[in-house]
Every structure is written in structure tokens, then in C-alpha cells.
Amino acid sequence: MSITAVPRGAHLTRRLIQLYVGLALYGASSALLVRAGLGLEPWGVLHQGLAERTGLSIGVVSIVVGAAVLLLWIPIRQRPGLGTVSNVFAVGIAMDGTLALVPDVHGLTAQIAMMVAGVVVNGVATGLYIAARFGPGPRDGLMTGLHLRTGRSIRLVRTLIEVAVVATGFLLGGTLGAGTVVYALAIGPLAQFFLRFFAVGGNPATEAGTDAEVTETGTGTEDAAGDGAAVASAPDDGDTTVTARTPEQAILPQ
């Protein structure tokens, strides 16, 4: 049992709030990066490129791509959670909503400020929805599923997928630039900080013990051994402490 007795219902309510606030902020942060015009996160580059080619909004493209990636879970035998399915729709809707409200910015100073805000908000969003423990996003689940089925490290699988995603998106017209680099360097430390801050029913970033040093690996996080294992999280009911590492914490959401 946890030291502080908190009713299971209270944990569930908080987790649901965290999940949907986190997903909404994730979509908003992606929209801020679009408005900054200095480069998007890897999957954002693909979404923007496809939006340029199809005439669909970038949020709708995000939903379509998320649903298509989720179908790829079937052959690798991944099981989606509430957070997985919600991710497909909520992020795209929030992204289009934010783009409708936030105008383009002009001038390098304003662009940099918007870019920094987008990256920081993305870190907050990532910490919120991963700590809610309702399952990884469809893109992250694809990476962890391939990791489990192929035996390759999360680091290698993620790198190969995201290089292909960025290259394809760039060729289609997506924005690749300083924002992409800043995102890659900053999102790991930011997400780990906010993951600890928003942990429900225990600290998922420290319960594995002091030997589970977390390091940044490109646009995701892995343990110091580089085997793709994630830091520990508490179980769904929040009433006990578990040291097993969960797949959704092996990499960051998208």
C-alpha cells in the first residue's frame, strides 16, 4: 500500500484529467511550433508535409496518420489503452483549434519565443499524459512494439523510424530547422522533469531505484544502459508501488 491512503476514485479522476489536459496541451504545443516557423518535431514535419500535399488541415492529417499507425499495432500484437485511442483524436483536434486562435508571428525574436514556448509546453504535456498511465501514443507504441518483436534497442528503432519520418516529411514540404534540433535536445530532460512532477501514486521516475539513471537519447529517453527500458511507474490503481518498467515511459509521446 502507498504511505498516503488516497481513494482509488480520486486517483482515477486525477489521471483522466491529466490525460486529456496533457493531450490538449500536446496538440497546442505542436501548433505553436508551426506558428513559430523554425522547424517542427519529427512527426510534425511529416504531418505538415502531408497537409501541404493533400490540402487537409495538419490536425486532420495527424488524426489520419495516428489511426494508420495504430493499425500497424495489429501485426506486432500491441494492445492500445484509453490514452492510445484518445491520442489519435485529441491531439489533432487541439492542434487545429490552437492554429485557428493563434496567428502567425513575425520577426526572429517573436519566432524564437514561440518556438521555446512550444517546446516547453510539449514537455509539460508529455509529463502529464505519460504520468497518467493510460497507455502510449500510437507512434510510440509502434516503436516499443518493434523493439519487443525485433530485439533491437528502442534507441535504434526510434532513430530509424524518425529519420524516415523526417526525411519523408521534408521532401513533402514539411518544415525542418532550428526548432527541430532544439526539440530533439530539450524534450528528453523536460519530459523527465515533468513526469516526476505530475506522477500519480508514486514517483515513476525514481521508483526503480538509484541505479536507473535516465539519459536523453535523441528525441526520447532511455535508461543509462541504453536498452530502451523505461523508468518505473505505479500501477493503475495507484495503491501500490511497482518497480517494473513500462513501455510507454521508454520513449516520449507523439
Side-chain angles (χ1 to χ4, degrees), residues 25 31 33-34 64 70 75 82 90 105-106 108 126 141 159 170 239 248:
L25 287 178
L33 291 174
V34 171
V64 172
L70 191 55
L82 175 64
V105 294
H106 304 285
L108 185 58
T126 299
T159 298
F170 179 71
D239 287 338
E248 60 266 31

Side-chain angles (χ1 to χ4, degrees), residues 134-220:
F134 280 108
R139 298 157 186 83
D140 289 339
L142 174 65
M143 296 173 199
T144 54
L146 290 174
H147 155 66
L148 292 172
R149 297 305 164 195
T150 65
R152 303 295 183 180
S153 70
I154 284 288
R155 178 182 300 155
L156 176 61
V157 172
R158 182 165 194 136
T159 298
L160 292 175
I161 291 177
E162 293 196 348
V163 166
V165 164
V166 169
T168 303
F170 179 71
L171 291 174
L172 291 173
T175 305
L176 182 64
T180 311
V181 177
V182 171
Y183 180 90
L185 295 175
I187 194 61
L190 284 172
Q192 286 301 310
F193 172 79
F194 288 110
L195 178 61
R196 294 184 179 97
F197 187 82
F198 293 118
V200 181
N203 190 332
T206 59
E207 285 170 0
T210 56
D211 60 332
E213 180 184 356
V214 175
T215 60
E216 178 193 345
T217 57
T219 58

Side-chain angles (χ1 to χ4, degrees), residues 8-27:
R8 181 177 301 181
H11 278 306
L12 180 60
T13 300
R14 175 182 166 180
R15 289 171 57 213
L16 286 169
I17 292 172
Q18 282 194 198
L19 171 65
Y20 290 107
V21 170
L23 293 176
L25 287 178
Y26 199 97

Side-chain angles (χ1 to χ4, degrees), residues 46-146:
L46 176 62
H47 298 156
Q48 188 181 52
L50 288 171
E52 291 285 338
R53 296 290 181 171
T54 62
L56 298 173
S57 72
I58 191 170
V60 170
V61 169
S62 173
I63 293 172
V64 172
V65 171
V69 171
L70 191 55
L71 290 177
L72 296 177
W73 283 34
I74 297 173
I76 58 176
R77 299 193 295 277
Q78 289 285 86
R79 299 178 64 180
L82 175 64
T84 309
V85 178
S86 298
N87 181 293
V88 172
F89 300 99
V91 172
I93 293 171
M95 191 174 185
D96 275 351
T98 304
L99 287 171
L101 296 173
V102 178
D104 289 323
V105 294
H106 304 285
L108 185 58
T109 300
Q111 287 179 288
I112 292 174
M114 186 75 79
M115 177 193 70
V116 171
V119 172
V120 172
V121 172
N122 193 281
V124 174
T126 299
L128 276 168
Y129 111 76
I130 289 183
R133 303 188 312 279
F134 280 108
R139 298 157 186 83
D140 289 339
L142 174 65
M143 296 173 199
T144 54
L146 290 174

